[in-house]
Amino acid sequence: MASRASHDTAIMNYVAAKQPLDGGRIGQPQDLDGAAVFLMSDAAKFITGQVLSVDGGWSVTDGQILKP
């Protein structure tokens, strides 16, 4: 996300509504660490051809703006 967008209240309200996990914050690169470690582990040795969404719930919400 662009730095200027993170300072826009309307955009951040939308992010909070669309990404419900962990307080609706902007995702960070380190949020992928756990998924990457899992996929490289023996626990994932039978996984193939899947899409793993690491998006804080973004893909399963409808993006309704939260009312204060």
Side-chain angles (χ1 to χ4, degrees):
M1 173 175 285
S3 176
R4 64 181 176 186
S6 68
H7 299 295
D8 185 313
T9 303
I11 291 173
M12 293 312 298
N13 285 341
Y14 181 75
V15 169
K18 187 84 170 121
Q19 188 164 313
L21 300 182
D22 201 15
R25 65 177 175 76
I26 297 171
Q28 301 296 316
Q30 59 269 24
D31 292 329
L32 301 172
D33 293 353
V37 169
F38 167 68
L39 290 171
M40 291 185 289
S41 75
D42 284 342
K45 65 184 173 187
F46 210 67
I47 296 175
T48 182
Q50 299 301 310
V51 175
L52 179 62
S53 295
V54 182
D55 64 3
W58 186 278
S59 60
V60 296
T61 59
D62 60 6
Q64 297 298 312
I65 300 297
L66 300 174
K67 296 186 184 198

